[in-house]
Amino acid sequence: MSLLSMPFLIINFGGEMIYVLEQRLHAQNIPKDKSNKVLQDVTRAMFSPKFIQELMKPQEIYSPSSTREIFDRLAHSSIMRLSESSMDKLYDLMTMGFKYQLVSCTHPRELAEVTLNHLDAIRTAVSTSDSTVEQVDAAIAQFVKLCKELSSAEFAQIRQTLAAFFQDKRIKVSLFLQDNIQNPDGTIALTKGGPIPNDATLEAPGAIRYYENGSVTATEKFDSPLTGTIGEQLAGDVYDPKARDSKLGKNLYTIDRKKPDAKKTPAAKPSSTASSTTTSTQKLKENKGSAVPELNALRELIGGGGANDFKITNLFGDESGGDGAGAKNRDIVINKVERATLLGGIEEEFSKLGGDSSAKDLGDLYDEIAGN
Amino acid sequence: MSSSGKAGAPQPPAYPIKLSTKSSASMVANNLTVSKHHLAYSHGNKAILIEHEHNGLLGDGKLRVSRIPVKSADVGDLITQVKYCRFSFGTALVMTSQHGFVHMYDEAGLKLLNYFQLPKPEDSSQPTRRMHGIASDGVSRLIVGSSTGELYVFTAQQGQISLDRTLSSVHKTPVYCISTSADFVSEGVGGDEGGGAAEGEGEAKSNVFCSVDDEGQVAVWDLATLECKHVFRDKNKQPAYTLAVFGNWCIVGTSTGHVRFYNLAKNFLQMEVAAHSRLISAMDIDAAKRTLVTASEDTWVNVFRLPSKASPKIESLLSKRVPSCILTGVALCGKDKSLIGMTAYDTRYLRVMPLDGGGLTSFNPK
C-alpha cells in the first residue's frame, strides 16, 4: 500500500463535498451570504496550513470510518449544521463521485489531474476571499511538488490503495445512472476507446515487432477491435489548468446544456435491496465501536463552527423525497444545476459583503480552537 | 418456440457468462489462480475459493464458493496475491499479504499448513514490507517477492515452510511477479516443440526463475544455485506486474499494455506485442496448445498463438471485450483448459468464456 494516498483521498473528497454543498445550498434556497460563508469556512478548515502539513506526511491510508469522521468535522466547521441523514447522503455522494473518477482514469498519473481539477474548482468557489484563496494556493503548490516527485509506479500504487478503499462501495446515484456513469448494479460504467494518454511509452494496440541485436527487423499488425476506438494521443500539461487533458474531477453536478427531457430521463428507482444503497455509511457506524482506535490526527486539527449556526434538516429534501429512516434506504437523487447560476451567486455575494470580515472572524476562531 | 411453430435449438449464452461468487475481486495483479479442483482470487483480506466440478464453470454443474480470511495478527492486513503452487507433497494454496505474511493452505483451503511473517522494521516510522509475487519450482522451493525488492526463498516440505535464503542483490524496488520454468510445462509435449523454442533460438531453458519489479527490470535466476544470470532493463522504467517463464522465453506483461518476449537462451528482447491500451494485469499459458491469454485493465482479453518451429510468428486468435470490467485476473481452466476464467475489480462474479470466445457447436443448458 502507498503511504502517499491520503492527500489524494482527502483533497478529492473535499472537492466533491464542495460541489455537492454548492448545488444543494442553492437548491435549498439558502441565502447567498450563508451559502458563501459555509463554503469559505469548510475550505479554510480543509486547507489550513496545519491540516495540509499533516495530510502531506507519509502515512497509511485512513480507514473509511476515520475518513468519515474527518468530513463530519469539516462539514460542521462552518455555520451549517447537517442532520445525520443529510451527512450520510453527502458522504455517499462524495464517495461515488470520487470512485467514478478514480476508476475512469486511463493512466495512473491522471490522478494528479483529477486532484488538480478539484483544487482549481475549490479555488474558484472561494475566490471572494483572498486569504482563503491564499491557503488553497499554498496547498496546490505543495501538492504539485509532491506529484512531480512521484514515478508512474508510485502513482499506480496510490491508485491501487485508493481502489482498495472504494471496493464494494456501490451506492446508486440517480444522476450517475442517468448519465451512464453507473451501471444498474451500482458499479462504475467504463467507456471503451478514447484517446491515448499523454505518455510516450504508450501506443494503440495492434503492432507486433520482431527484434534482433536490439533493432526491429520486422513489424506486423494484427486486427485489434480496439484500433477503431482509440483516438489521437493527448498532449496536454498536467500542471496547466488551461491545458489539462482530463475532465475528471470537474463538477458532475453542473451542466452547460439544457436539462434532458424528463420523459426521456429514467427515474432512479429505490433499490429493492436496501442494504446495498447504505453499505458505506451504515457499515461505518456499525463498525465504529469495533474498529481499532486510530490516531485520527487530521480530525483533531479541524475546528468547529461559530455562533449563529443554521441547521439543515434535510440537505437533499426537495429531490430525495423526505428525511428520516425511510430516506436512508433509497438511492440518492440529485440533479444538476446551471453552472452560471452557482457562479453568479458568488459574485453577487462578494459585492454585498464588501470585504472579508467574516473570514477573519472565522480564522480567529479556528486558531483559538486549534490552540495557536 | 419460434414463430414458425418448430422447436428451436437452445441458444448458447452470450459470453462471458457471469458466475456469482458474492465477493468482489481486489485490484491486485494476477488475481486468479487455478488448480485441478479450484479457482481462487483475493477479496480484501480473504481468499475466495471456487470449487468446480467438471463443466461446473459453464453453469451446468455445481459451483461451491468458500472464503478464507488471512490469518494475520494485524488488523487491516490485505491479501496481495493468492497462487496455487505445486510441490512434491501436493498442491498448496499460497497467500501473501500487505503486512509481510506468507500463508500456505492445503488445496481446498481447509487447513493452514504453515505461515511465515517478515519481521517488522525496527524503525516504526518505516512501512511494513509487503509480500507480492509467488512461484514454486514444482518440488520443494517456494519463492516470494517483497516491496523492498528482496526475494525470499523457502524450502517447502510436507506443508512446512522454512526460510532458506534472501536474495537482495538485484531488485531495489517492489517485486510484483515471479515465475519459474516449472510453471507452464506441458505434460506429454516433448522434442523440438516442447518449451517454447522456435527455429534457431537455442535449447529451451529449464531450471530458471524470473522476477520483475516496478521499474520493469526482469531478473533471470538459476533455480539451483540461486544466482542471478542476467538482468533485462526497461529504458523507460515502466512497471510490469505479470510475467511467465515458458521454455525459452520470459514473457512480460507491462503497465504500458505491451507483451515482451525475452529470449532466455541468448539474452535479448525477441518480440514485442502492443496488445492492450492499459496495463496488463494477468496472463496464463496453455503449454500444450501454445496459447497465451492476456487480461488488462482496458477491459479486453487477448488470446495469442505462441511461435513454434513450425510457425515462427505470433498469431492473434481472439480479442474480446468484457464491458465495464477492470480485469485483474485470468486463468485457463475447465476441461482441457478450454475455458478462460476472469476476475474484475469490484465485481462479484467469476466470468467464464470458451477459449474461442463463444463459438461452441453444442451447448447443454442447465
Side-chain angles (χ1 to χ4, degrees), chain B residues 178-249:
Chain B
I178 306 170
S179 175
T180 75
S181 47
D183 281 342
F184 301 104
V185 173
S186 173
E187 294 173 2
V189 175
D192 292 341
E193 285 302 312
E199 184 72 42
E201 296 304 340
E203 291 299 315
K205 277 287 189 187
S206 62
N207 220 24
V208 298
F209 73 94
C210 295
S211 53
V212 67
D213 63 26
D214 77 356
E215 287 187 345
Q217 184 169 251
V218 178
V220 184
W221 307 80
D222 186 304
L223 250 181
T225 64
L226 299 180
E227 287 174 7
C228 180
K229 292 301 191 185
H230 189 76
V231 177
F232 296 103
R233 291 191 168 84
D234 177 12
K235 62 180 180 187
N236 295 310
K237 292 192 175 184
Q238 293 292 331
Y241 299 104
T242 185
L243 89 168
V245 173
F246 177 58
N248 227 7
W249 293 307

Side-chain angles (χ1 to χ4, degrees), chain A residues 1 99 163 168 170 203 209, chain B residues 24 98 258 345-346 348:
Chain A
M1 288 294 193
K99 182 178 180 179
D168 292 325
R170 290 198 200 103
E203 63 176 311
R209 285 179 283 270
Chain B
S24 61
Q98 286 283 346
H258 294 90
Y345 165 67
D346 205 35
R348 296 170 179 158

Side-chain angles (χ1 to χ4, degrees), chain A residues 18 22 36 39-40 43-44 119-134 136-137 339 342-351 353 355-356 359:
Chain A
I18 294 292
E22 246 188 337
N36 194 36
L39 297 178
Q40 292 281 349
T43 304
R44 287 180 67 86
L119 284 165
D120 290 342
I122 292 170
R123 193 182 187 281
T124 302
V126 297
S127 54
T128 52
S129 166
D130 288 345
S131 58
T132 313
V133 166
E134 208 175 291
V136 177
D137 283 344
R339 180 165 176 72
L342 291 176
L343 289 177
I346 292 170
E347 286 149 11
E348 184 188 336
E349 186 53 31
F350 180 70
S351 64
L353 285 173
D356 196 23

